[in-house]
Amino acid sequence: MSVGLSEGHGGASAGDDAGARLRGTELTLAYERRTIAEGLSVAVPDRSFTVIVGPNACGKSTLLRALARILKPAAGTVVLDGRSIADWPAKRLARTLGLLPQSSVAPDGITVADLVARGRYPHQSLLRQWSKEDERVIAESMAATGVADLADRPVDELSGGQRQRVWIAMVLAQQTPLLLLDEPTTYLDIAHQIEVLDLCARLHDEGRTVVAVLHDLNHAARYATHLIAMRGGRIVAEGAPGDVVTAELVEEVFRLPCRVIDDPETGTPLVVPAARHRVRV
């Protein structure tokens, strides 16, 4: 089932600023007195599946929050479609950019269907009330994330993995051309992780720009068309996974000795950590 745009896929080249609807320039990102990044610049290639990777506390989620206008930069500018994102009206921004934050809290007692329906709020107005189109999009969003059979269940009764898929369904229901996902596979078992990443890949194929923060480097290398590797609040490398993911890069970014081989399923880079102990056979 398809949820999203019907436009054909056409990726921009890595690092091509001219093909970037969303970019940050010379960003200083901080929480109160703690600075996370300074002079950070990034351009998200239009219609790419961009994945941000890096060790814990390197600034991945902070960068995503700034790109989504959740965190105001202490310096620098985030620009969307040639205009400072700070100047966008809230509802228009919500029709253009959807965000799945790292942690979300649902109102007490709200059902799955009602929470997903909140994704349609940006499309409502005095002249446009609830419609059959809204119902169709909600049904498709729940089906695409595998939560249709939970529609009448209270969200606070669900498992962590089920709740995560419900939040993803709500973001899908916004039908935005840009999707920012902060650790979308959190709480999910391996089968559901692959389902969610396959869904993200389908949305990208349909024409959406998808930006995700992922912890699993092998998942990132398999699914991303554009990879951004961060450490210590700076971008260490970016580009196509086949160009970026090397043993040297993994050791520099993650401090992990490894080998990088071809994934036997996809041919994308596959990181094999060096053995800590050799087992005698």
Side-chain angles (χ1 to χ4, degrees):
M1 180 172 293
S2 170
V3 179
L5 306 179
S6 59
E7 302 171 23
H9 170 66
S13 61
D16 179 9
D17 282 10
R21 296 182 62 183
L22 181 64
R23 64 166 61 85
T25 304
E26 293 295 319
L27 300 174
T28 295
L29 306 177
Y31 296 105
E32 296 182 349
R33 297 182 180 180
R34 185 165 65 95
T35 298
I36 306 299
E38 288 184 282
L40 182 61
S41 294
V42 63
V44 177
D46 192 25
R47 299 190 185 183
S48 67
F49 188 168
T50 293
V51 176
I52 307 172
V53 298
N56 290 342
C58 73
K60 304 184 299 294
S61 294
T62 302
L63 173 58
L64 201 73
R65 285 169 60 85
L67 293 175
R69 205 174 73 173
I70 301 299
L71 176 68
K72 181 179 179 180
T77 307
V78 175
V79 173
L80 175 60
D81 288 343
R83 179 182 182 185
S84 171
I85 201 169
D87 297 334
W88 278 65
K91 215 164 189 180
R92 183 182 171 198
L93 180 63
R95 291 195 298 267
T96 305
L97 187 152
L99 171 69
L100 175 71
Q102 194 171 99
S103 56
S104 304
V105 179
D108 290 341
I110 193 170
T111 66
V112 168
D114 286 342
L115 183 60
V116 176
R118 294 194 172 197
R120 300 304 296 163
Y121 168 75
H123 300 275
Q124 307 299 316
S125 68
L126 291 175
L127 299 178
R128 187 194 182 283
Q129 299 299 313
W130 193 259
S131 68
K132 291 290 185 182
E133 172 71 4
D134 294 318
E135 293 179 6
R136 181 189 66 79
V137 171
I138 290 167
E140 288 191 357
S141 298
M142 290 194 295
T145 52
V147 297
D149 59 340
L150 304 174
D152 297 325
R153 292 271 303 276
V155 175
D156 51 18
E157 292 182 4
L158 304 180
S159 70
Q162 289 171 325
R163 284 197 300 271
Q164 185 74 348
R165 286 185 283 139
V166 171
W167 284 109
I168 293 171
M170 190 191 77
V171 175
L172 291 186
Q174 282 182 244
Q175 287 196 308
T176 58
L178 286 88
L179 278 173
L180 275 56
L181 310 172
D182 195 355
E183 299 184 25
T185 56
T186 298
Y187 306 120
L188 302 181
D189 59 41
I190 184 63
H192 284 119
Q193 288 179 33
I194 298 303
E195 283 184 12
V196 166
L197 292 170
D198 282 346
L199 172 61
C200 291
R202 290 200 303 273
L203 294 169
H204 163 249
D205 288 341
E206 291 170 7
R208 297 202 199 192
T209 299
V210 180
V211 185
V213 169
L214 295 179
H215 275 298
D216 190 308
L217 185 54
N218 286 329
H219 285 169
R222 174 176 279 198
Y223 285 92
T225 63
H226 185 70
L227 194 66
I228 297 174
M230 293 185 65
R231 183 174 182 86
R234 65 186 182 90
I235 294 175
V236 177
E238 64 177 307
D243 298 329
V244 170
V245 181
T246 64
E248 293 77 16
L249 185 281
V250 174
E251 185 154 10
E252 178 184 358
V253 171
F254 293 95
R255 304 296 190 256
L256 178 69
C258 69
R259 293 175 58 204
V260 175
I261 62 175
D262 291 339
D263 186 317
E265 288 289 327
T266 62
T268 53
L270 181 68
V271 176
V272 181
R276 299 301 183 186
H277 303 284
R278 294 190 178 276
V279 179
R280 295 181 181 274
V281 179

